[in-house]
Amino acid sequence: MTPEDILKHEPRMLTQAQRESYFESGYVSSEGLIPKEWLEAVRSASDECLEDSRKETESGSKFDLAPEHTAEHPHVRRIKSPVDVHPVFKKFAVESPFADIAADLVGPNVKFHSCKINYKHPGGGEIVKWHQDICFWPHTNYSPVTLGLYLDGCEDAQGPLTLIPESHKGDLFPHYDDEGNWTGTVPPRELASLPTDKADGPTGDKGTVLALNCRTIHGSKRNETNRVRPILLYVYSSADAFPWAYHPTQTSLSGEIVRGEAAKIPHMDPRPCPVPPDWSKSGYGSIFTSQEKGDGGDMM
């Protein structure tokens, strides 16, 4: 569906002004959308998973672990597919208002794509360089939206998810270096032409929701506080959006229709998207491992 068609449907969770702002700016944030019961359930499930990570000694199918991770001092950078790790996360993806927020931004027919929880530790290496999500997993159109939920809130010093407003209207950049190696970042030569000085990093109390279009250039800085900053990230798309490359972060819920009906005809957006690596052959770890290998896209 086009933004014009989506906006013709009555909003479920967001205001019409918020929806219009999303399509204009490439993002929108709001507090007070997630009921306390859901928020507490998700936070509790997160704590259980982190406790379980003490048993792990290296990254695997559940966790992306920092090199300094130990049983005594867990350092989880990411829960990779939370809907397959704890039942609360799967229920949240389908039954909570999260999917209704997605419907406000992709249309009434909503498909689940992927999910993760990122933990930004104090002084750690969880800096995320400038990138565009759709370059990791291209679709037939650009409806995919990432919904972020700050589990404990986020202040500016904690390195909030930071983005370049209206960058979704511009080009998509190949996330490779000059030698053709995947870096998972916008190349430095391209950043020079982008208004990074106008970047915005929405913050808020626990339960704050941030919606990000798949084309929007974004990243996050260091956490300068003494508190971990967790953010749950779920990706939804319109039902008429179909991946055309190997899905690097497949879950048991990927491709499921969580609101409305399945599409019979795909929506084909003519704007091109760079081809990512063939993850079925090379394997995919996380954006942290991708960006550690390459140069470029540094957050300032």
Side-chain angles (χ1 to χ4, degrees):
M1 298 182 72
T2 66
E4 294 76 17
D5 290 332
I6 293 168
L7 289 172
K8 291 177 183 177
H9 292 268
E10 288 294 319
R12 304 183 185 194
M13 296 296 299
L14 301 175
T15 66
Q16 191 72 349
Q18 287 174 321
R19 299 165 82 199
E20 292 171 354
S21 177
Y22 169 81
F23 289 116
E24 175 62 24
S25 301
Y27 73 104
V28 70
S29 65
S30 182
E31 297 186 21
L33 296 177
I34 305 301
K36 179 180 178 181
E37 294 76 14
W38 273 117
L39 180 59
E40 292 307 314
V42 171
R43 296 178 72 210
S44 177
S46 169
D47 290 342
E48 290 179 32
C49 291
L50 294 180
E51 184 64 27
D52 190 49
S53 76
R54 295 177 184 273
K55 306 172 187 176
E56 308 295 330
T57 58
E58 60 183 21
S59 298
S61 60
K62 290 184 179 181
F63 303 108
D64 182 286
L65 305 176
E68 56 266 41
H69 173 84
T70 65
E72 294 76 22
H73 301 287
H75 194 134
V76 176
R77 298 191 293 195
R78 170 175 292 179
I79 298 178
K80 292 185 175 181
S81 298
V83 297
D84 295 325
V85 174
H86 196 292
V88 165
F89 295 126
K90 193 166 191 176
K91 289 185 65 176
F92 185 78
V94 178
E95 300 177 18
S96 80
F98 231 39
D100 295 310
I101 297 171
D104 281 343
L105 301 174
V106 307
N109 302 314
V110 183
K111 184 187 299 182
F112 186 85
H113 178 262
S114 58
C115 58
K116 52 188 173 281
I117 303 178
N118 287 346
Y119 300 87
K120 187 178 288 291
H121 288 254
E126 290 82 33
I127 295 172
V128 179
K129 301 175 185 179
W130 296 114
H131 66 284
Q132 295 164 298
D133 287 344
I134 197 67
C135 295
F136 290 73
W137 27 256
H139 280 60
T140 58
N141 62 59
Y142 298 106
S143 67
V145 58
T146 296
L147 296 184
L149 178 68
Y150 281 123
L151 302 187
D152 296 333
C154 181
E155 60 185 68
D156 187 64
Q158 287 181 289
L161 194 154
T162 302
L163 51 91
I164 302 177
E166 300 189 29
S167 57
H168 68 305
K169 299 177 182 178
D171 295 332
L172 294 179
F173 300 101
H175 288 30
Y176 295 87
D177 63 20
D178 291 339
E179 285 71 47
N181 302 305
W182 175 262
T183 63
T185 70
V186 176
R189 63 181 179 277
E190 306 293 355
L191 279 178
S193 64
L194 296 174
T196 54
D197 59 319
K198 296 182 180 179
D200 184 23
T203 57
D205 198 359
K206 62 182 180 182
T208 296
V209 174
L210 173 63
L212 184 76
N213 181 265
C214 63
R215 295 175 63 97
T216 301
I217 298 172
H218 64 288
S220 64
K221 300 178 183 179
R222 290 170 58 90
N223 181 353
E224 302 293 350
T225 73
N226 60 0
R227 304 182 306 282
V228 178
R229 189 272 281 162
I231 183 171
L232 177 149
L233 298 160
Y234 283 12
V235 180
Y236 299 87
S237 74
S238 60
D240 61 8
F242 292 86
W244 56 257
Y246 182 83
H247 194 323
T249 53
Q250 185 85 20
T251 76
S252 62
L253 199 58
S254 296
E256 293 293 319
I257 302 300
V258 296
R259 292 291 184 276
E261 301 176 350
K264 296 181 179 179
I265 300 175
H267 172 201
M268 308 291 291
D269 192 305
R271 292 173 292 175
C273 181
V275 178
D278 184 352
W279 304 117
S280 68
K281 296 178 180 179
S282 62
Y284 181 77
S286 72
I287 194 169
F288 304 115
T289 55
S290 294
Q291 293 190 350
E292 283 168 355
K293 296 175 184 177
D295 184 26
D298 286 336
M299 296 292 294
M300 300 301 292

